[in-house]
Amino acid sequence: MTEKIIIKAERLTKQFGHFTATDHITFEVREGEIFGFLGANGAGKTTAMRMLCGLSQPSDGWATVAGYDVATQHEQVKQNIGYMSQKFSLYDYLNVEENFTLFGGIYGMSRKEMKEKTTRPGFPPSRNREIFAFRDSRARFVRAIDA
């Protein structure tokens, strides 16, 4: 019995100008398999994951995740995957509101839902402050978002 293919990539490539971050990778992952990327810093692992999660468009090639095309059906891809980066990632170079908007959009929140959450009591009032100012209160920030 052949296992169902959950992820399929064919010549998946991402270029930034003249720099090729991910160079024509081809692979399949079947249902039940454990799969990971190994490589040195700068090898293209994160870039490949961003494409597979529907967060970045391939420059060439194609991929499907859970049967959805990552280039044309990225919203369906995001609704059918779970992704956890190596660390809890709030981006230090974005302010509170920008971080919230980024992650709200990734997880499919409408603009109306984001506005409701960011204007209610408990949301950090300093929404334009850099996120690193909240290092000691990330749990409070997350609770405000999650409520």
Side-chain angles (χ1 to χ4, degrees):
M1 179 169 114
T2 305
E3 298 289 331
K4 181 179 177 184
I5 296 172
I6 301 300
I7 303 171
K8 183 172 179 76
E10 270 305 316
R11 302 184 51 78
L12 193 62
T13 303
K14 181 66 176 186
Q15 293 180 304
F16 297 97
H18 295 292
F19 176 72
T20 302
T22 303
D23 193 8
H24 297 94
I25 60 174
T26 299
F27 62 90
E28 294 178 349
V29 180
R30 291 179 171 22
E31 187 172 36
E33 288 183 333
I34 297 173
F35 176 84
F37 290 113
L38 299 174
N41 289 344
K45 302 176 300 290
T46 299
T47 302
M49 285 301 299
R50 289 183 51 76
M51 288 188 287
L52 292 172
C53 290
L55 300 174
S56 181
Q57 290 288 311
S59 302
D60 193 19
W62 59 270
T64 59
V65 174
Y68 297 102
D69 185 294
V70 299
T72 61
Q73 298 176 299
H74 42 88
E75 291 305 317
Q76 291 91 336
V77 168
K78 288 186 258 182
Q79 291 172 7
N80 283 278
I81 64 169
Y83 170 69
M84 174 61 81
S85 65
Q86 286 181 314
K87 62 178 184 157
F88 178 71
S89 294
L90 291 176
Y91 293 97
D92 291 341
Y93 55 88
L94 298 178
N95 67 34
V96 173
E97 193 162 13
E98 290 166 336
N99 266 285
F100 185 80
T101 301
L102 171 67
F103 285 102
I106 289 170
Y107 290 103
M109 289 178 70
S110 69
R111 291 195 181 277
K112 181 181 177 194
E113 287 176 295
M114 285 188 259
K115 180 75 172 168
E116 289 169 357
K117 286 187 179 275
T118 58
T119 56
R120 70 165 183 246
F123 192 84
S126 304
R127 60 179 35 91
N128 293 320
R129 287 177 60 192
E130 303 289 323
I131 199 66
F132 65 81
F134 291 91
R135 284 226 189 269
D136 295 330
S137 59
R138 280 192 180 191
R140 188 168 39 110
F141 176 76
V142 172
R143 280 195 304 273
I145 293 172
D146 197 38

